[in-house]
Amino acid sequence: MASAQKTDNAPAERKANPFKSFITGGFGGICNVLSGHPLDTIKVRLQTMPRPAPGEKPLYSGTLDCATKTIRNEGVRGLYKGMSAPLTGVAPIFAMCFAGYALGKRLQQRGEDSKLTYPQIFVAGSFSGLFSTFIMAPGERIKVLLQTQGIGPGGEKKYTGMIDCAGKLYKEGGLRSVFKGSCATMLRVVVVYSSFGFTILQ
């Protein structure tokens, strides 16, 4: 009877451990980058390949052709070009993501144990997108530049790595150049993370 009463009076939501969330989220993000980056490289190269002239064949005919040519010309490491930027930023991104979600929940909770409604979870998820954009946007820009350099005949390799790319972007246009495309990135992650709030972050 006493145990049943204790169960009924249990808090509606269990408090999350920020340290455990940081470690597990960061490790999961690293595994996600390691497994998904080759396909991301192929996607970016297919999206940015030069338009063929009339009568000429495209640089890549499809996903498999792009992967084959990349491995043949650059080795397996070619599929992992630009991975240093997302790999370096993934732990802070996940940390900011969960911190933003916690803040979004806290601002809407009337009590410590109050449970959020679905619209409130959606709003809290959007906070995680806003916070993570500050790290994600520069990383995305650097990643794409590293993935697409040197493609095609006579393609120039302008950057030697992540730090070199970030330094040259800053010299060319300051922080505005480094954070170019941030608004589009923010709109994307806010919508995505708001939707994820229903399944992952809740």
Side-chain angles (χ1 to χ4, degrees):
M1 185 77 176
S3 61
Q5 186 177 358
K6 186 177 181 180
T7 303
D8 293 337
N9 296 331
E13 289 191 9
R14 189 176 180 181
K15 288 186 178 180
N17 185 317
F19 180 74
K20 287 183 179 180
S21 297
F22 180 86
I23 297 298
T24 56
F27 182 75
I30 290 171
C31 292
N32 179 54
V33 173
L34 290 173
S35 60
H37 193 79
L39 289 175
D40 186 69
T41 298
I42 293 170
K43 179 205 71 169
V44 170
R45 292 193 170 191
L46 288 172
Q47 289 174 329
T48 59
M49 68 177 175
R51 181 175 296 179
E56 289 186 358
K57 292 183 178 181
L59 185 61
Y60 308 114
S61 61
T63 302
L64 186 59
D65 181 58
C66 180
T68 303
K69 287 180 178 177
T70 300
I71 295 173
R72 184 190 305 144
N73 297 328
E74 306 170 49
V76 177
R77 291 181 63 181
L79 294 174
Y80 289 91
K81 273 189 173 180
M83 189 180 68
S84 54
L87 196 60
T88 303
V90 70
I93 285 173
F94 273 71
M96 295 296 285
C97 171
F98 280 88
Y101 179 68
L103 177 62
K105 287 180 62 178
R106 179 68 63 183
L107 291 174
Q108 299 179 91
Q109 283 178 321
R110 295 184 177 179
E112 285 292 327
D113 301 330
S114 61
K115 193 169 183 178
L116 298 180
T117 63
Y118 285 119
Q120 287 175 322
I121 293 172
F122 187 88
V123 172
S126 69
F127 271 76
S128 66
L130 286 171
F131 275 59
S132 60
T133 298
F134 294 104
I135 302 173
M136 185 179 296
E140 285 279 320
R141 176 153 164 73
I142 293 170
K143 172 184 72 73
V144 170
L145 289 173
L146 291 174
Q147 286 175 325
T148 56
Q149 68 172 348
I151 296 177
E156 179 188 1
K157 290 190 176 181
K158 188 177 179 181
Y159 312 107
T160 59
M162 177 186 70
I163 297 176
D164 180 60
C165 181
K168 287 179 178 177
L169 286 175
Y170 184 79
K171 287 181 180 178
E172 290 171 2
L175 288 176
R176 179 172 291 185
S177 177
V178 177
F179 282 87
K180 190 176 182 180
S182 294
C183 289
T185 301
M186 183 179 65
L187 290 173
R188 184 192 71 188
V189 297
V190 164
V191 173
V192 171
Y193 285 8
S194 296
S195 304
F196 281 177
F198 292 119
T199 54
I200 297 176
L201 297 177
Q202 186 183 3

